Amino acid sequence: MSHIRTITPQELDLQREYGVRVRDWYEARFPGKSPLCCVRTFGCQQNVADSERIKGMLSSMGFGFTERTEEADLILFNTCAVREHAEDRVFGNVGALKNLKRRRPGLIIGLCGCMVQQEHVAEKLRKSYPFVDLIFGTHVLHRLPELLLRVLEGGKQVIERPVEDGVIAEDIPVRRDGGAKAFLPIMYGCNNFCTYCIVPYVRGRERSRDPDRIVEEARQLIREGVKEITLLGQNVNSYGKGEAHGVDFPELLRRINALEGDFLIRFMTSHPKDATPRLFAAIADCPKVSRHFHLPFQSGSSRVLKAMNRGYTREQYLELIRVARETVPGIAFTSDVIVGFPGETREDFEQTLDLIREVEFVSLFTFLYSPRKGTPAASYPDPVPAEEKLRWFQEMNALQEQIAARRLQKMVGSVRRALLECGEEGVLEARLPENMVVRIADPTDQECAAVGRYARVQITGARSWILSGKIVGVEP
Ligand code: SAH
Ligand code: SF4
Ligand code: F3S
């Protein structure tokens, strides 16, 4: 029995009132000066999308934004729990704020997101991190104004992390910073309970947004000049399941594709057990849907897949790839894979290598298994030593690098359509539909000014996994 709740307009009105009181609180103490907040995101795209809503709410409460913790009045970390490394990074960053807090007692430090949704983490923060003022879980994001006001007025640590199936909150202000690219959440939560994964515990049950709202939001984004929309969900292929409106993911793709304008639709993530010929047909029919498919396989061994509770075999996965390639010629695959799942043997691992060779992914996100407290796999016998797992991990990465290098080499000389972006350190880059990036060598000022537009790009070189190229022409 599901207990998904849609947040009512009345509840949101109430939050807006709390927001006004937060604004007044700062105005009364620091007249004419906007408080500054520093919001950092540690997780996946879903977390980035949540942070855009957090920033939207903060902006309407009168906050300005800064990247520098030293000058912030409010520091908020939106956390991830998917691997131990992600959690360690957060604890490291929070620990580093202790001194800052001592020097500036008025500073408010907050933690939210997946990590703090876990009971044992909240407990640890309560006991050992008294200088963290505000802790809130994934189901109460929309109540940020209320919780912040409680901190300002009460001065005590506020912890709010109800354990529930989840909520859907519409009409929260959004402050996007993706430029020509935008994330559009279509559903939340996960019902799959892969045995290694913490996400279903911290994100609640699967719930889909109303299709009309999604299409309307896409229309609005396109009107604002967005060129690439990424539809988000832990398993977008189960969009609409159990909903009365009857719109499934392929149908949603078709509806967004039908919107007017020149834009690209991406989506993340697809679960192989729910990817269907109907979906491939929709991709083939919709010119605005990117010919790129992120389809995590996790392991090439059917035995391990079963222990992971993935719901498909190696053979079924490979068949899916075959049908997709047949239906959508030229489709590019990327994937996620885990090395060192409890009980994985050398033979299992070699089947993973074999699958990587067979499919030839454009790129792979590779992870060393990380035990997550409360998940079934965390208590499975795990005899392979960490050093051995690390060697396998390196072996797999080396194989994928070879494959990627070969694929990239084949692209040299071709001319492709790509979206111009400003990459790290201000380098001009062009993003291909399969999500690969071409670095533009020695761009002119005019070319740099074309960020956010499409261009025809000639690929001139490939070094390991980086393509370089030059612009042949920019579209208006
Ligand atoms: N919903 C997506 C994945 C979200 S998590 C899907 O099912 O494909 C992103 C990736 O992190 C997963 O695909 C998996 O490869 C990896 N991952 C999740 N839990 C992990 C763990 N405990 N240890 C190592 N990697 C993990
Ligand atoms: Fe985690 Fe599996 Fe759900 Fe993906 S499908 S979020 S890996 S439980
Ligand atoms: Fe991490 Fe939560 Fe995403 S655990 S991967 S931020 S859903």
Side-chain angles (χ1 to χ4, degrees):
M1 168 104 173
S2 164
H3 299 91
I4 306 301
R5 225 163 42 84
T6 300
I7 304 304
T8 62
Q10 291 74 19
E11 286 174 89
L12 290 180
D13 280 344
L14 191 61
Q15 291 304 323
R16 275 187 280 273
E17 284 168 30
Y18 286 122
V20 171
R21 285 168 62 188
V22 169
R23 187 192 281 259
D24 292 348
W25 191 95
Y26 278 105
E27 181 60 28
R29 281 152 190 89
F30 312 98
K33 198 173 152 281
S34 316
L36 286 178
C37 65
C38 171
V39 180
R40 286 199 187 148
T41 311
F42 290 81
C44 63
Q45 288 94 337
Q46 194 68 66
N47 253 31
V48 174
D50 284 347
S51 289
E52 291 178 342
R53 275 153 190 82
I54 288 171
K55 289 181 198 168
M57 286 185 277
L58 288 170
S59 175
S60 47
M61 286 186 264
F63 278 87
F65 295 87
T66 176
E67 296 293 318
R68 298 179 47 227
T69 51
E70 308 85 65
E71 61 176 15
D73 301 286
L74 166 67
I75 300 172
L76 192 53
F77 290 166
N78 191 7
T79 64
C80 172
V82 82
R83 282 170 293 273
E84 195 181 353
H85 175 70
E87 296 199 339
D88 289 346
R89 266 180 65 218
V90 170
F91 276 121
N93 275 274
V94 174
L97 296 179
K98 196 171 177 178
N99 274 332
L100 195 61
K101 176 84 180 185
R102 202 172 291 141
R103 273 186 278 134
R104 299 184 43 209
L107 167 69
I108 292 178
I109 299 175
L111 286 178
C112 63
C114 296
M115 186 174 150
V116 304
Q117 186 65 33
Q118 302 171 98
E119 178 73 46
H120 71 274
V121 174
E123 195 51 25
K124 177 168 167 177
L125 290 166
R126 201 179 58 77
K127 277 209 193 107
S128 314
Y129 291 77
F131 61 96
V132 176
D133 306 282
L134 172 60
I135 295 157
F136 61 100
T138 49
H139 304 306
V140 289
L141 196 82
H142 60 284
R143 285 173 52 203
L144 173 61
E146 171 196 347
L147 300 173
L148 189 53
L149 186 67
R150 221 194 282 164
V151 174
L152 291 172
E153 292 185 339
K156 283 207 304 276
Q157 190 179 54
V158 170
I159 304 188
E160 191 76 22
R161 36 168 298 284
V163 179
E164 53 181 288
D165 284 352
V167 300
I168 292 188
E170 295 289 354
D171 297 320
I172 292 181
V174 187
R175 187 179 190 270
R176 297 183 202 266
D177 28 31
K181 293 187 293 181
F183 290 131
L184 204 179
I186 62 168
M187 59 188 301
Y188 310 99
C190 181
N191 288 356
N192 293 314
F193 290 95
C194 302
T195 53
Y196 51 81
C197 185
I198 195 71
V199 171
Y201 303 88
V202 294
R203 284 283 180 175
R205 297 293 64 75
E206 248 165 40
R207 49 211 189 268
S208 299
R209 291 180 65 198
D210 179 69
D212 294 337
R213 284 210 172 243
I214 296 170
V215 173
E216 194 40 49
E217 196 171 328
R219 194 196 314 272
Q220 185 60 34
L221 289 171
I222 297 157
R223 208 178 288 142
E224 289 164 13
V226 165
K227 296 288 188 201
E228 294 196 2
I229 298 177
T230 304
L231 308 177
L232 291 183
Q234 290 300 344
N235 176 9
V236 291
N237 299 339
S238 58
Y239 174 80
K241 265 190 195 167
E243 300 287 339
H245 55 64
V247 176
D248 64 0
F249 186 59
E251 173 60 21
L252 185 68
L253 281 180
R254 288 179 193 272
R255 291 193 184 182
I256 300 175
N257 180 73
L259 292 173
E260 240 171 80
D262 183 19
F263 62 95
L264 195 69
I265 308 166
R266 302 180 182 282
F267 52 93
M268 274 194 121
T269 294
S270 278
H271 195 303
K273 80 173 167 53
D274 301 309
T276 57
R278 203 176 128 74
L279 172 62
F280 303 143
I283 300 175
D285 289 348
C286 295
K288 292 171 190 166
V289 174
S290 159
R291 263 75 183 131
H292 163 227
F293 211 170
H294 184 65
L295 195 64
F297 71 97
Q298 313 297 2
S299 168
S301 152
S302 294
R303 199 186 65 80
V304 173
L305 286 169
K306 189 156 194 293
M308 288 175 161
N309 189 31
R310 285 293 285 180
Y312 54 88
T313 61
R314 168 196 180 85
E315 291 71 29
Q316 283 167 331
Y317 183 86
L318 288 170
E319 174 62 10
L320 210 55
I321 297 276
R322 193 190 64 73
V323 175
R325 282 188 165 145
E326 196 174 86
T327 319
V328 192
I331 190 165
F333 290 98
T334 57
S335 199
D336 293 351
V337 50
I338 296 175
V339 176
F341 184 80
E344 184 179 37
T345 63
R346 176 74 206 181
E347 267 164 26
D348 293 317
F349 171 66
E350 279 175 11
Q351 293 202 327
T352 293
L353 292 181
D354 203 55
L355 189 144
I356 293 171
R357 265 184 226 110
E358 185 160 342
V359 179
E360 298 202 318
F361 296 100
V362 171
S363 63
L364 260 189
F365 298 88
T366 59
F367 306 106
L368 266 171
Y369 169 71
S370 168
R372 304 284 69 209
K373 194 176 173 137
T375 62
S379 56
Y380 294 171
D382 193 3
V384 177
E387 312 82 67
E388 182 73 4
K389 290 184 180 185
L390 185 61
R391 275 197 294 274
W392 295 357
F393 183 67
Q394 288 160 342
E395 193 177 339
M396 178 170 74
N397 288 341
L399 169 66
Q400 176 57 27
E401 252 179 60
Q402 267 178 21
I403 293 169
R406 228 183 11 246
R407 284 193 75 110
L408 296 193
Q409 208 58 49
K410 274 195 223 156
M411 296 170 72
V412 174
S414 62
V415 176
R416 302 281 309 273
R417 186 170 190 253
L419 184 67
L420 295 179
E421 295 180 350
C422 185
E424 269 169 44
E425 294 152 24
V427 186
L428 185 64
E429 296 178 344
R431 186 169 294 269
L432 299 172
E434 56 269 50
N435 230 350
M436 279 192 276
V437 165
V438 185
R439 279 208 190 141
I440 306 300
D442 307 320
T444 63
D445 288 349
Q446 213 178 359
E447 288 171 346
C448 288
V451 163
R453 281 155 61 185
Y454 283 104
R456 300 200 67 78
V457 170
Q458 175 160 42
I459 297 168
T460 51
R463 205 161 43 88
S464 53
W465 63 90
I466 297 164
L467 291 166
S468 51
K470 60 177 190 218
I471 295 177
V472 183
V474 178
E475 292 181 13

